[in-house]
């Protein structure tokens, strides 16, 4: 599959996932509109492609010491950065919402990709 097509499919699935998790009250994730969700999905994908690898390499010692649990924090950082960059995508409870939202996003994305029959694209 074309890399650009994969990126846009992933961004749309992420947007749908963000709309779904924004309906779960205790997560503290707010998305104003479907358009803001799409923008957030694109920004999230760009940050995952360019910023996350740099942060991963810089934090390898923490990841090793925590036996990989620091990757949850890394995902929350990318999730929080996306919320900071996109107006209309908010985290009500700060870093706690970022952690819970990143975990929920991973789960919902995986379920949607599974239902679509697409393997290996889940973020």
């Amino acid at each position: 599959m074309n890399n650009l097509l994969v990126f846009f499919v992933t961004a749309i699935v992420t947007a749908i996932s963000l709309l779904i998790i924004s309906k779960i009250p205790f997560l503290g994730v707010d998305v104003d509109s479907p358009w803001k969700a799409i923008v957030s999905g694109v920004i999230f994908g760009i940050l995952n492609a360019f910023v996350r690898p740099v942060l991963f390499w810089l934090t390898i010692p923490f990841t090793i010491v925590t036996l990989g649990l620091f990757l949850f924090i890394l995902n929350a950082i990318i999730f929080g950065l996306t919320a900071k960059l996109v107006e209309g995508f908010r985290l009500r409870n700060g870093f706690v919402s970022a952690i819970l939202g990143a975990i929920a996003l991973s789960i919902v994305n995986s379920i949607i990709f599974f239902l679509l029959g697409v393997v290996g694209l889940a973020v």
Side-chain angles (χ1 to χ4, degrees):
M1 206 186 285
N2 182 338
N3 286 341
L4 193 58
L5 182 62
V6 169
F7 176 78
F8 283 118
V9 167
T10 304
I12 295 299
V13 169
T14 301
I16 293 168
S17 298
L18 285 171
L19 288 172
I20 291 170
I21 67 173
S22 71
K23 302 299 180 198
I24 304 172
F26 68 87
L27 293 179
V29 177
D30 292 327
V31 180
D32 288 347
S33 67
W35 174 248
K36 295 295 183 176
I38 291 170
V39 171
S40 298
V42 170
I43 298 296
F44 186 78
I46 291 170
L47 290 174
N48 260 336
F50 296 107
V51 176
R52 189 174 192 275
V54 173
L55 289 177
F56 174 77
W57 285 107
L58 291 174
T59 60
I60 283 179
F62 296 112
T63 305
I64 291 170
V65 168
T66 61
L67 302 174
L69 291 176
F70 191 77
L71 292 175
F72 285 117
I73 303 301
L74 206 59
N75 287 339
I77 290 169
I78 298 298
F79 197 79
L81 273 173
T82 304
K84 282 284 187 196
L85 293 172
V86 178
E87 195 168 321
F89 174 36
R90 291 174 303 283
L91 301 175
R92 274 185 269 134
N93 302 322
F95 197 68
V96 172
S97 291
I99 290 175
L100 294 175
I103 292 169
L105 182 69
S106 296
I107 293 168
V108 175
N109 269 2
S110 296
I111 292 169
I112 292 174
F113 279 121
F114 176 77
L115 292 175
L116 291 174
V118 180
V119 178
L121 285 183
V123 179

